[in-house]
Amino acid sequence: MITPLSWLKEYVDIDVTPQELQDKLFSCGFEVEELYEVGKDISKVVVGKVLTCEAIPETHLHVCQVDCGEHGQFQICCGADNVVAGGKFPVALVGATVYATAKDHKTVEGVMTIGKGKLRGYESHGMLCSGVELGVNENMYPGADYNGLLVLPEDAVVGADVKPMLGLDDWIFDIAITANRPDCQSIFGIAREVAAVLEKELRMPDLSYTETDAQIDDFTVTVDCPDLCPRYSAHYVTDVTIGESPLWMKRRLALVGIDAISNVVDITNYILKELGQPMHAFDLTTLEGNAIHVRRAANGEKIVTLDEQELTLNDSNMVICDGVKPVALAGVMGGLNSEIRETTSAVLFESAKFARDNIRRTSRALGKRSDSSARYEKGVDEYATVMALKRALHLIEELGCGKVGRTHADVNTGNSVEPREVKVSIERVNKCLGIVVPNEEIMKIMQNLALNPSIDGDTLTLSVPAYREDIVTYQDVAEEVIRMYGYEHVVPAFMPSAQVTIGGLNLQQKSELKLKNALCSIGAYEGIHYSFFSPTDLDLLRFPEDAPERKAIRIMNPISEELSLMRTTLAASMINAVARNQKKGNLEGRIFEIGNVFLPYELPLTRYPDEKARLCVGIFGEKESFYTMKGIAEKIAETLQVSFTYEAMQNTFLHPYQTARVLCEGKEVGYFGKLAYDIADDQDLRTPVYLMELDLKVLSAWYGKKPVFNPLPKFPEEQRDLALVVSKETTCGEIEAVMKDACKYITKISLFDIYEGEQVAADKKSMAFTVVFTPKEEAFTAESVDAFVKKILKQLDKNCGAQLRS
Amino acid sequence: MNAALEQIKQEIISGAEEVKSSKEAYEFRKKFLDGKTGKIGLLMREMKNIPPEQRADYGKGVNELKEWAMGIISELDIKMKSKELLERYEAEKIDISLPAEKSEQGNLHPITLIRNQLIDIFAGMGFEIFDGPEIETDYYNFTALNTPQDHPARDMQDTFYLSPEFLLRTQTSAGQIHVMENKKPPIKILSPGKVFRSDDDATHSPMFTQMEGLVVDKGITLCDLQGMLDVFVKKIYGENTKTRLRPSYFPFTEPSVEVDCSCFECGGKGCKLCKGTGWIEILGAGVVNDKVLENCGVDPNEYSGFAFGIGIERTAMLKYGINNIKLLFESDLRVLKQLND
């Protein structure tokens, strides 16, 4: 909320500095986001009187002797056509700062510091200034838009600072207003808070006016949709003379960034800023049928707004109609057909409360925003609605631009603009705060906030003005008390009356943290990626049309198509992360992520989807292989005290022969493998990439498994190395399975060598294993182990055609 | 003196000079001192051929020779071994300025680090950790939190909708309701998690992480909130950190406050980090609005509570001096490797 200090001072005497006021506002809940002086860029500019002014031959320049009072007399060269001896103009002294303008003398191009200069051989000690150079326009000071020097009045004191004269010593507060305080979306609303915090009197804006007998015969206002329009007030103004607004009004509008248009329109804009109530003025002569009719638009109904755009409406929009046609899009913009023109002679003022969400939806749906719709979206109160109309009529009289007629309409749904009574327990207020605020303090605060308090025993009775819709319960009162009393009075305590609770992570959270730490220990870095991904990611992974991964939840209003689907796999984000790294020259690394996938039971959603945590690991670089990834899988299994088994599998985005399904005690928990070469090429990946994705929801069944201590074997273990010749197709897994089946004493089998080449047949390979036998009931003898080996070899021969290598 | 003894002595003296390695020293020892084949050993065996009256002298001579030879040869052996050790070391001379071979240790994401740090602090105060769903209903995210359909506070957050009813949660406060519906007071929970808002610039990401705290019990007041915050900021930002409450607005708390802590960079004097104010905004909090308690079936006449919400990214960015929030979600190893805390 842009608030000029000078405007605030109309309602409150402010005897603190702007900075002190900023601090006061901050402490009571109004953060001043920006505080600046209107003329912050202007310095050392004073009133100067031109004593002599001589033309420099063959130029448009003049050389002047300028009296600057206490600052001295200077020779200044000037190119403006209105420089004249005897005139008073702003003088930027040497060292002054003013705005630099482009060649058009209008466009500001930054701030410049005035130095000594020399023009055509004449020394110049300073600069005579235009309005633009001082940041002043016609609405702030008459004559300021002239393309030449800004002419100062005859009575200006020579040598005096020009800033107060031009209003440049004013301050602007840009104040953040929280959503619960729409009543402060106006200068007067802020003034109420300033008065309360400074404990000063608040001066009401003048609402007086005199009604004449003029009236519109049989004029009616009807509201068809009181849910969207709880209050509609209108008043007739006659004998209107459209013209310019007085300087004081133009100036205030300029300070809050509004261009003056004409007196009647300026009044509506002025009230929007002053009281926070959007108003509309209809040219009465364009209204037909002596009626105002507020209704929902018909589907397909059209209106042309003030900005000459035709809009097609539907029944969720609201229109203001005369007896015949729509004349305004309610709360958003007036219709072109009823706008105020130079010829307007009679006006109907509208001051209404429209439902905030309806205006918001209409404004968004039609892409049409105005100061009025922005204000309505925050919510207006009926107190201001009623007050604003009176203020507008007062200003019509004050500006002398019309006569207030008698015709007045007020359609309402019975909401009172009178104060409400609120009773709360003082003890309850204090218990909420945890401190005891003295009753006198509470009384004082409530009085300052104009809540008309009285205390009877423990009961605080307030008479809450209609604009304070936020004060209803004891908690609301507690907030008012503490924000004015000061949060520094809150004494730190530590839940003295609370019961002891036992905190900490649950099993799932602990287990996930354990997994993360285990992955860090093998050189992987944790990444976090967006929970959404792109439809093109599904194509990247080559998912067929009917793949379950394609059944992803779509965001109705995504930031972009790339972030429009909820993830159904973490693999795509990981591939993208690896690709980003490789583009930046990181050609090797290990990344993991634990994040949710979102699997809907049906689309569109009618119940919570299956939201489950997955672990994704991406490793890349020349040192990585299928087996380093398998090692990571084993590390995970070890961390969770479970054992994984692996089966060959294929999916659409991994290498057909270097991909494994991961099973935990027989249950599928995920996959890992090498990224398919075509995808790697698509992503310009320069080193091999391996991916793993595990379903932590399934794995969570094993979370919390405690290590079980196995007593050490009583008898020594025996170990044998077996080199086997097998066909090239035989897998290590097959051999291990056969060995284990053949002898129950085997506790460990480890492959230590694979050989293919001249020493074995062309279609064969040699695999060498170390097999560990652990005795149970009794110690082994050399013969018993030999017997195991014999049996193992027999089974290997039978099942895999394996022969002991000679 | 037996000439043979003398000869061996000379042989040892001259032979010792020829020994160049510990292996030769070993051979040299064997040549003279081996019990069976060594030259001195053989001299002992000669004893039987020595006339008995000379035997004592002979034996003494041989023993003396043996003692002497053992001394010489041991010395020789030590000398050779130490020479060889030195040579071995010299042969293994390396350039210690060559790059180190590291066994790489990865690290947790800065968000996880901050999250763990906060969890540690609050778990110690008796807070349980609750993970709510990222996809929420309008009811849990807004309505139950005293933000009905047309409430102005809905404009404070740009929500991603998945259907008219389902949305991506905009705040972890949604978790409050799930907890209070399922658990009777005393409640002390911390609900960390991803939240989503349609916002995208250097300090806003459409996905970020919040941590919501909620306490509901008998007699909880604003003072308890202040007390807990004091402990929290001292633990995370240092013993001398102060807190400041100032009024704010959230639909689900009343009174609501914005919490600032004294700038941990300048100690409150004013610097670039705190934009000269000496204070840094760290979280929003307040006394739980009675309406929220009622919505969850908790009797506000019996219980009261406070809630607070911390932005984890903001905390991480302040702590590590990260200037763009996007860096947290790109998994750039050059970034992640630096944040080993």
Side-chain angles (χ1 to χ4, degrees):
Chain A
M1 180 77 215
I2 300 284
T3 311
L5 183 62
S6 57
W7 198 342
L8 271 181
K9 282 181 174 171
E10 171 150 345
Y11 318 109
V12 199
D13 291 327
I14 296 171
D15 53 5
V16 295
T17 65
Q19 289 71 21
E20 282 166 340
L21 183 57
Q22 176 181 28
D23 292 345
K24 291 267 188 190
L25 285 168
F26 183 80
S27 70
C28 72
F30 296 87
E31 188 182 352
V32 177
E33 289 179 327
E34 223 187 337
L35 171 62
Y36 57 90
E37 197 192 13
V38 174
K40 62 183 188 305
D41 296 321
I42 308 299
S43 66
K44 289 185 79 177
V45 181
V46 302
V47 179
K49 182 174 182 179
V50 176
L51 302 174
T52 62
C53 175
E54 288 167 24
I56 302 175
E58 290 162 39
T59 71
H60 68 290
L61 298 172
H62 287 81
V63 58
C64 309
Q65 298 300 325
V66 184
D67 176 15
C68 295
E70 59 187 282
H71 306 283
Q73 184 180 321
F74 305 104
Q75 171 170 301
I76 296 173
C77 296
C78 176
D81 62 1
N82 62 340
V83 63
V84 59
K88 288 183 178 174
F89 307 102
V91 177
L93 303 171
V94 170
T97 52
V98 297
Y99 292 111
T101 58
K103 286 205 170 110
D104 63 2
H105 302 294
K106 281 181 187 162
T107 316
V108 170
E109 287 189 325
V111 177
M112 63 176 177
T113 305
I114 303 300
K116 280 182 205 169
K118 212 171 195 182
L119 283 157
R120 301 289 172 119
Y122 293 89
E123 282 194 1
S124 186
H125 296 263
M127 185 176 89
L128 292 165
C129 304
S130 69
V132 180
E133 283 159 343
L134 301 177
V136 186
N137 63 33
E138 198 70 32
N139 288 332
M140 295 166 77
Y141 197 85
D145 280 355
Y146 182 71
N147 189 354
L149 300 185
L150 178 67
V151 180
L152 297 176
E154 273 299 309
D155 59 356
V157 179
V158 171
D161 189 345
V162 298
K163 283 172 79 169
M165 205 176 297
L166 303 178
L168 294 176
D169 60 341
D170 201 355
W171 288 80
I172 302 291
F173 291 74
D174 187 358
I175 303 170
I177 311 291
T178 50
N180 59 330
R181 295 302 303 275
D183 61 301
C184 290
Q185 293 283 357
S186 67
I187 313 276
F188 184 64
I190 301 278
R192 280 195 291 245
E193 288 297 319
V194 171
V197 78
L198 296 181
E199 300 185 38
K200 297 279 183 188
E201 195 125 327
L202 178 74
R203 284 187 293 274
M204 286 291 283
D206 196 341
L207 305 178
S208 64
Y209 59 90
T210 315
E211 264 181 23
T212 63
D213 287 338
Q215 60 178 346
I216 319 167
D217 294 330
D218 305 325
F219 180 75
T220 59
V221 172
T222 47
V223 177
D224 281 0
C225 45
D227 54 326
L228 305 186
C229 174
R231 189 152 203 143
Y232 194 96
S233 306
H235 205 108
Y236 169 51
V237 177
T238 183
D239 295 331
V240 170
T241 326
I242 299 296
E244 252 186 79
S245 299
L247 183 66
W248 66 265
M249 184 179 274
K250 290 198 287 186
R251 196 182 136 66
R252 282 187 176 171
L253 289 173
L255 285 173
V256 296
I258 294 179
D259 284 335
I261 296 167
S262 70
N263 43 18
V264 172
V265 176
D266 292 350
I267 286 172
T268 62
N269 284 332
Y270 186 82
I271 288 172
L272 173 64
K273 293 297 170 183
E274 183 186 44
L275 302 177
Q277 170 65 45
M279 297 216 29
H280 192 66
F282 295 104
D283 181 334
L284 197 65
T285 55
T286 66
L287 298 187
E288 300 170 84
N290 281 356
I292 285 290
H293 189 191
V294 184
R295 60 166 170 83
R296 286 174 183 271
N299 284 319
E301 190 165 9
K302 289 185 164 61
I303 188 170
V304 179
T305 45
L306 286 175
D307 54 358
E308 300 182 23
Q309 274 192 353
E310 187 181 71
L311 302 172
T312 305
L313 311 177
N314 61 45
D315 64 4
S316 64
N317 309 130
M318 186 179 13
V319 283
I320 313 297
C321 305
D322 60 12
V324 178
K325 59 187 185 294
V327 289
L329 180 58
V332 181
M333 201 174 277
L336 188 63
N337 53 16
S338 58
E339 86 170 318
I340 302 297
R341 295 162 198 271
E342 281 176 29
T343 53
T344 298
S345 58
V347 160
L348 187 74
F349 271 127
E350 163 199 290
S351 181
K353 175 172 179 171
F354 298 124
R356 53 172 301 284
D357 53 325
N358 177 266
I359 302 299
R360 178 172 144 84
R361 270 198 295 272
T362 293
S363 164
R364 304 257 156 132
L366 299 174
K368 189 148 285 296
R369 272 178 72 82
S370 62
D371 286 348
S372 165
S373 70
R375 180 63 195 89
Y376 271 122
E377 284 183 20
K378 296 188 170 80
V380 301
D381 57 77
E382 292 180 43
Y383 180 89
T385 305
V386 172
M387 184 174 171
L389 192 54
K390 291 179 183 164
R391 180 67 172 155
L393 299 174
H394 170 83
L395 288 172
I396 284 285
E397 275 189 5
E398 186 179 332
L399 268 55
C401 55
K403 286 182 182 160
V404 178
R406 183 175 294 164
T407 305
H408 175 81
D410 182 10
V411 178
N412 66 65
T413 43
N415 292 336
S416 172
V417 298
E418 297 306 312
R420 277 175 295 123
E421 189 179 81
V422 170
K423 279 182 193 289
V424 298
S425 152
I426 295 174
E427 191 194 350
R428 196 99 196 253
V429 167
N430 283 329
K431 271 193 170 165
C432 174
L433 300 175
I435 53 173
V436 175
V437 183
N439 278 4
E440 319 71 88
E441 285 291 339
I442 294 179
M443 279 298 283
K444 196 177 84 183
I445 289 164
M446 296 294 124
Q447 268 153 10
N448 289 338
L449 289 167
L451 299 173
N452 305 313
S454 62
I455 291 180
D456 179 14
D458 181 45
T459 306
L460 170 67
T461 305
L462 303 173
S463 172
V464 179
Y467 56 85
R468 289 304 303 271
E469 291 174 347
D470 60 314
I471 300 178
V472 180
T473 69
Y474 77 93
Q475 287 184 309
D476 302 327
V477 174
E479 175 160 74
E480 293 304 301
V481 169
I482 194 65
R483 80 183 173 96
M484 300 310 271
Y485 189 50
Y487 273 95
E488 66 278 10
H489 289 99
V490 174
V491 189
F494 205 88
M495 304 181 241
S497 63
Q499 299 171 63
V500 172
T501 51
I502 296 164
L505 295 173
N506 64 27
L507 178 61
Q508 183 206 329
Q509 295 153 348
K510 275 184 198 157
S511 306
E512 285 183 7
L513 193 57
K514 205 167 147 190
L515 278 178
K516 287 182 179 182
N517 284 323
L519 286 161
C520 288
S521 76
I522 48 114
Y525 291 84
E526 187 189 9
I528 294 178
H529 306 133
Y530 286 154
S531 293
F532 13 73
F533 68 163
S534 168
T536 59
D537 285 329
L538 294 165
D539 300 335
L540 172 76
L541 297 179
R542 312 288 194 256
F543 287 128
E545 280 310 311
D546 58 347
E549 285 84 356
R550 286 211 182 254
K551 194 178 157 192
I553 301 164
R554 181 163 250 289
I555 298 172
M556 292 165 76
N557 53 335
I559 283 193
S560 65
E561 192 60 15
E562 283 78 61
L563 305 174
S564 64
L565 297 178
M566 298 308 290
R567 289 198 288 186
T568 52
T569 168
L570 305 191
S573 320
M574 187 57 78
I575 294 171
N576 291 329
V578 171
R580 276 195 301 273
N581 272 289
Q582 295 218 354
K583 276 193 190 80
K584 286 162 188 164
N586 307 329
L587 294 181
E588 55 176 61
R590 293 177 165 192
I591 301 171
F592 70 94
E593 181 191 15
I594 290 181
N596 287 338
V597 293
F598 306 85
L599 310 176
Y601 296 105
E602 71 287 299
L603 286 174
L605 290 180
T606 56
R607 54 184 154 152
Y608 283 97
D610 187 11
E611 189 172 314
K612 50 184 182 178
R614 285 206 185 155
L615 165 66
C616 187
V617 184
I619 61 174
F620 54 105
E622 297 300 345
K623 286 183 212 154
E624 302 292 6
S625 72
F626 179 88
Y627 302 107
T628 58
M629 186 57 113
K630 192 173 178 183
I632 294 173
E634 293 290 299
K635 178 82 189 179
I636 291 165
E638 211 172 88
T639 305
L640 297 178
Q641 314 265 1
V642 295
S643 54
F644 285 167
T645 51
Y646 308 94
E647 287 173 0
M649 70 170 278
Q650 295 189 348
N651 75 15
T652 53
F653 54 95
L654 297 177
H655 190 298
Y657 301 108
Q658 293 194 21
T659 300
R661 177 180 292 122
V662 182
L663 301 109
C664 181
E665 301 183 9
K667 200 161 184 187
E668 179 168 354
V669 292
Y671 64 83
F672 68 86
K674 187 175 195 177
L675 184 65
Y677 296 133
D678 52 342
I679 297 177
D681 287 347
D682 279 356
Q683 298 285 305
D684 291 328
L685 297 174
R686 288 189 273 165
T687 58
V689 179
Y690 298 84
L691 291 173
M692 169 157 62
E693 193 171 8
L694 299 179
D695 188 328
L696 294 185
K697 197 165 179 181
V698 180
L699 270 178
S700 69
W702 288 276
Y703 284 170
K705 215 174 151 191
K706 296 277 176 295
V708 179
F709 177 72
N710 284 314
L712 299 177
K714 286 183 198 147
F715 311 106
E717 293 181 332
E718 291 286 331
Q719 187 173 316
R720 292 284 190 280
D721 287 350
L722 302 175
L724 304 168
V725 177
V726 292
S727 103
K728 277 191 175 166
E729 272 68 50
T730 309
T731 68
C732 181
E734 284 164 13
I735 294 174
E736 286 184 9
V738 171
M739 286 189 187
K740 275 188 180 159
D741 269 357
C743 177
K744 65 173 181 176
Y745 295 107
I746 294 179
T747 48
K748 197 176 169 195
I749 304 170
S750 33
L751 176 84
F752 65 87
D753 187 41
I754 295 187
Y755 173 79
E756 286 176 34
E758 287 171 10
Q759 294 176 34
V760 293
D763 58 342
K764 303 276 182 185
K765 63 182 172 187
S766 157
M767 298 175 96
F769 295 88
T770 297
V771 184
V772 177
F773 301 90
T774 307
K776 288 178 185 163
E777 309 83 6
E778 52 183 18
F780 295 138
T781 60
E783 292 75 30
S784 58
V785 179
D786 287 347
F788 298 151
V789 170
K790 208 171 159 189
K791 190 177 171 200
I792 289 165
L793 290 173
K794 195 175 156 197
Q795 288 300 316
L796 282 171
D797 182 17
K798 193 171 140 198
N799 291 295
C800 319
Q803 300 297 323
L804 200 59
R805 189 174 168 195
S806 48
Chain B
M1 194 61 181
N2 189 312
L5 268 62
E6 186 56 31
Q7 193 196 332
I8 287 174
K9 192 174 180 177
Q10 287 309 318
E11 245 182 82
I12 289 174
I13 289 170
S14 59
E17 286 176 14
E18 303 298 315
V19 171
K20 295 283 183 270
S21 70
S22 60
K23 199 178 164 202
E24 283 174 31
Y26 174 75
E27 292 301 326
F28 194 65
R29 172 188 292 268
K30 234 167 94 179
K31 183 173 170 189
F32 294 100
L33 293 172
D34 190 279
K36 289 177 184 168
T37 60
K39 289 192 174 176
I40 295 174
L42 292 175
L43 287 178
M44 275 306 207
R45 295 193 182 185
E46 281 299 304
M47 188 73 92
K48 60 182 188 290
N49 300 327
I50 300 296
E53 65 278 12
Q54 292 175 18
R55 276 186 192 169
D57 278 355
Y58 179 79
K60 196 179 164 211
V62 172
N63 272 331
E64 277 172 4
L65 176 65
K66 189 179 170 187
E67 289 287 315
W68 172 82
M70 278 169 74
I72 293 284
I73 294 173
S74 292
E75 218 173 276
L76 190 64
D77 187 48
I78 290 165
K79 197 173 135 195
M80 286 304 131
K81 278 189 173 148
S82 58
K83 185 189 95 175
E84 280 166 3
L85 193 59
L86 204 64
E87 283 169 357
R88 189 172 161 201
Y89 285 142
E90 276 173 1
E92 292 177 9
K93 191 173 169 185
I94 59 160
D95 175 359
I96 58 152
S97 67
L98 289 180
E101 284 175 23
K102 281 180 257 185
S103 88
E104 192 156 3
Q105 162 77 35
N107 51 250
L108 296 172
H109 194 279
I111 290 174
T112 305
L113 291 170
I114 299 287
R115 191 181 138 123
N116 288 350
Q117 206 180 348
L118 296 178
I119 286 173
D120 276 353
I121 294 171
F122 286 106
M125 297 188 215
F127 283 71
E128 282 178 77
I129 318 303
F130 172 79
D131 295 310
E134 290 172 42
I135 290 182
E136 261 301 355
T137 62
D138 189 272
Y139 176 79
Y140 283 98
N141 194 72
F142 287 124
T143 310
L145 288 162
N146 195 32
T147 320
Q149 192 63 52
D150 63 341
H151 197 284
R154 287 207 177 192
D155 306 356
M156 290 156 71
Q157 303 166 0
D158 278 320
T159 309
F160 287 118
Y161 279 92
L162 306 172
S163 75
E165 189 191 356
F166 285 91
L167 45 79
L168 295 179
R169 67 173 170 194
T170 59
Q171 46 198 6
T172 42
S173 313
Q176 280 187 19
I177 309 298
H178 288 289
V179 170
M180 283 196 279
E181 280 180 348
N182 292 304
K183 189 174 167 25
K184 291 295 145 214
I187 292 170
K188 275 192 213 136
I189 54 141
L190 200 60
S191 180
K194 293 172 181 168
V195 297
F196 306 85
R197 292 183 198 175
S198 185
D199 233 344
D200 206 6
D201 60 39
T203 51
H204 296 91
S205 158
M207 180 183 93
F208 58 102
T209 320
Q210 267 190 349
M211 188 168 291
E212 177 86 4
L214 173 72
V215 174
V216 179
D217 203 342
K218 288 180 179 162
I220 298 294
T221 75
L222 197 59
C223 291
D224 298 317
L225 171 64
Q226 171 87 66
M228 190 217 63
L229 290 171
D230 282 353
V231 174
F232 158 67
V233 298
K234 284 184 191 338
K235 284 198 171 171
I236 191 158
Y237 294 120
E239 268 309 307
N240 298 322
T241 316
K242 293 181 199 63
T243 54
R244 172 177 80 173
L245 305 186
R246 59 188 163 90
S248 186
Y249 171 70
F250 306 106
F252 35 94
T253 50
E254 182 86 340
S256 300
V257 291
E258 210 64 74
V259 180
D260 301 334
C261 73
S262 54
C263 180
F264 36 83
E265 190 77 18
C266 63
K269 288 194 285 282
C271 67
K272 204 177 151 193
L273 185 69
C274 59
K275 297 187 186 107
T277 63
W279 296 94
I280 288 181
E281 187 179 317
I282 50 164
L283 58 88
V287 175
V288 179
N289 195 312
D290 281 359
K291 286 180 200 132
V292 175
L293 296 178
E294 282 164 10
N295 287 341
C296 303
V298 175
D299 181 1
N301 293 314
E302 195 177 348
Y303 294 105
S304 58
F306 64 74
F308 57 91
I310 308 168
I312 307 282
E313 281 78 4
R314 186 173 153 71
T315 312
M317 288 167 80
L318 285 169
K319 185 161 179 180
Y320 301 113
I322 299 165
N323 53 4
N324 189 333
I325 194 166
K326 295 280 156 34
L327 291 175
L328 294 171
F329 302 111
E330 287 182 339
S331 288
D332 187 333
L333 289 168
R334 296 172 305 174
V335 175
L336 296 178
K337 287 183 182 186
Q338 287 183 53
L339 301 170
N340 187 6
D341 197 352

